[in-house]
Amino acid sequence: MSIEAGTPTSSTEPNAEGYRGFTLGQFSFRRDEYFAYISWPTGSHIMSVDAFLRAMQRDIAWDFFYGIVNFDGVFGTMNHYGTVDLFAGRYNDSYRKAELDYSENIDTPIIREQFKAILEDWTNQTFDPFASPHETGPAFGVKNGSNVDAITRRRVAATRMVNLPGDEELRNDENGHPLNRMFLDVPQDEPLVEAEPGFEGQLAGFNLFNYLARSQVTWNPSVVSVCKDSLFCPTTEEYILPIIHGNDRVEWFIQLSDEISWEVEDRDTGTMRSRVVMKAGDVCAMPADIRHQGYSPKRSMLLVWENGDPNLADLIASGQAPTYPADF
Ligand code: PHB
Ligand code: FE
């Protein structure tokens, strides 16, 4: 079958294990009981299907994120904010040297819809790609239903500043937001705010630890404050960040609780650059020319501080802004 580049297709007939096959440009995708198989004109690749689906879930939820989302050391996406490169071996020194790397640029709506179709068809009813491995059933086996509720989760959005009148009360056990099993010891007290006369009902504070302790998903930063381009995005983490994030800008991490180990590699070649162990209270900046993956042995709280300036990626790529965060 000849395929026009950029035209996504899917097989209507499922394979022997019950799963459909898909194409995007010259890439094709299929799964069996344990693995996802990806092929392109110069090569092919295999991934454990649980890891593949966890990465796919993040790439969709973050709408291709800042910079590069590596599913592993070979396959992934690079966001150009309107189009997306789908690549294999592009950021892998060995593939590059052997000239086996391959990349296609695809309009964002097309890749977004096809990724959603793959995730929906390949996710069984037992598997929640957002959950920690301990809090989900298996991804494996022949096709067994679907889990549309889990993969199309909507973020819980406050209608206004948390704790001001009119904010929906999200911090309780009754409405589906119980404390996570690993955060039962997190203090639940709220700050006392004493407003000057005339300002009652306009000032509020809240216990962010209390809030985060109720998150049922892992490795999924949510924007909780916006000040111009400064975005505070806390998240709860357990096990391994399902993607290796290749930065196109500097980002800061503030470890709010427990501990995460980060493996930091050169963004373009994958060469190891450092290991960073962050304990509660530690702050670090990740440069714009690296990629990183975090390991969280217990559920932990992390604040990711992003700069959402839409010009930043080009300024850094063209050398007009530095790849590192600060001159001391
Ligand atoms: C990151 O790539 O910087 C990142 C992504 C998701 C997280 C934490 C950090 O949950
Ligand atoms: Fe990152």
Side-chain angles (χ1 to χ4, degrees):
M1 184 168 58
S2 88
I3 294 153
E4 196 183 85
T7 305
T9 67
S10 59
S11 57
T12 44
E13 280 306 308
N15 63 11
E17 292 84 11
Y19 300 103
R20 283 158 58 209
F22 296 84
T23 72
L24 255 172
Q26 308 273 340
F27 281 87
S28 61
F29 301 82
R30 68 182 176 87
R31 84 157 274 187
D32 60 18
E33 290 197 41
Y34 281 119
F35 301 116
Y37 302 84
I38 307 162
S39 54
W40 58 92
T42 55
S44 64
H45 191 52
I46 182 168
M47 283 183 71
S48 186
V49 78
D50 60 333
F52 177 87
L53 293 173
R54 287 190 178 105
M56 184 65 103
Q57 176 72 82
R58 303 308 182 289
D59 217 7
I60 294 167
W62 307 342
D63 210 27
F64 306 103
F65 206 30
Y66 294 120
I68 301 169
V69 169
N70 296 284
F71 283 43
D72 61 9
V74 174
F75 175 75
T77 59
M78 162 85 151
N79 197 354
H80 296 291
Y81 311 100
T83 65
V84 175
D85 289 342
L86 187 63
F87 65 78
R90 174 65 186 79
Y91 301 95
N92 179 304
D93 213 27
S94 307
Y95 276 76
R96 293 281 283 170
K97 284 189 175 135
E99 298 182 6
L100 286 173
D101 60 297
Y102 184 77
S103 169
E104 271 186 55
N105 184 256
I106 300 171
D107 286 338
T108 302
I110 290 176
I111 183 170
R112 185 195 289 131
E113 288 314 305
Q114 192 69 329
F115 270 23
K116 282 185 186 169
I118 296 171
L119 182 68
E120 184 172 336
D121 192 71
W122 291 5
T123 302
N124 287 317
Q125 67 177 10
T126 46
F127 187 59
D128 179 351
F130 268 129
S132 82
H134 218 75
E135 295 178 344
T136 177
F140 305 118
V142 298
K143 186 157 171 73
N144 171 21
S146 58
N147 198 352
V148 176
D149 284 351
I151 65 176
T152 58
R153 264 193 188 89
R154 298 181 72 85
R155 284 177 200 271
V156 177
T159 44
R160 60 181 312 203
M161 162 83 194
V162 177
N163 266 355
L164 277 178
D167 148 48
E168 282 173 46
E169 176 54 70
L170 300 171
R171 282 144 292 123
N172 65 57
D173 301 345
E174 290 79 49
N175 63 2
H177 301 285
L179 286 172
N180 182 267
R181 76 196 197 287
M182 289 214 187
F183 288 142
L184 296 175
D185 60 342
V186 170
Q188 298 297 308
D189 53 316
E190 293 287 328
L192 176 66
V193 177
E194 293 177 352
E196 289 285 326
F199 294 93
E200 298 90 348
Q202 297 178 46
L203 283 173
F206 72 102
N207 181 345
L208 180 66
F209 284 76
N210 173 309
Y211 227 77
L212 284 177
R214 298 170 188 282
S215 171
Q216 301 308 310
V217 302
T218 60
W219 305 103
N220 193 40
S222 300
V223 181
V224 299
S225 81
V226 180
C227 183
K228 296 189 178 168
D229 290 321
S230 167
L231 312 177
F232 267 5
C233 313
T235 158
T236 62
E237 321 295 47
E238 189 177 326
Y239 189 52
I240 304 173
L241 173 58
I243 61 135
I244 310 170
H245 180 219
N247 288 14
D248 66 3
R249 64 198 65 209
V250 173
E251 64 185 336
W252 290 80
F253 291 156
I254 302 169
Q255 188 70 39
L256 298 180
S257 84
D258 302 277
E259 183 174 316
I260 298 179
S261 292
W262 289 94
E263 286 191 346
V264 184
E265 300 168 339
D266 181 81
R267 187 189 67 163
D268 296 332
T269 64
T271 307
M272 191 77 188
R273 266 179 63 173
S274 68
R275 242 181 101 235
V276 179
V277 179
M278 295 191 68
K279 297 176 191 287
D282 287 347
V283 178
C284 85
M286 292 285 170
D289 57 357
I290 58 95
R291 67 190 194 193
H292 53 198
Q293 186 168 38
Y295 292 70
S296 188
K298 289 189 56 163
R299 207 177 193 87
S300 68
M301 297 183 185
L302 173 70
L303 181 67
V304 181
W305 185 23
E306 292 283 1
N307 184 335
D309 183 343
N311 301 312
L312 200 53
D314 283 344
L315 286 173
I316 293 170
S318 63
Q320 292 167 267
T323 55
Y324 53 89
D327 283 307
F328 293 104

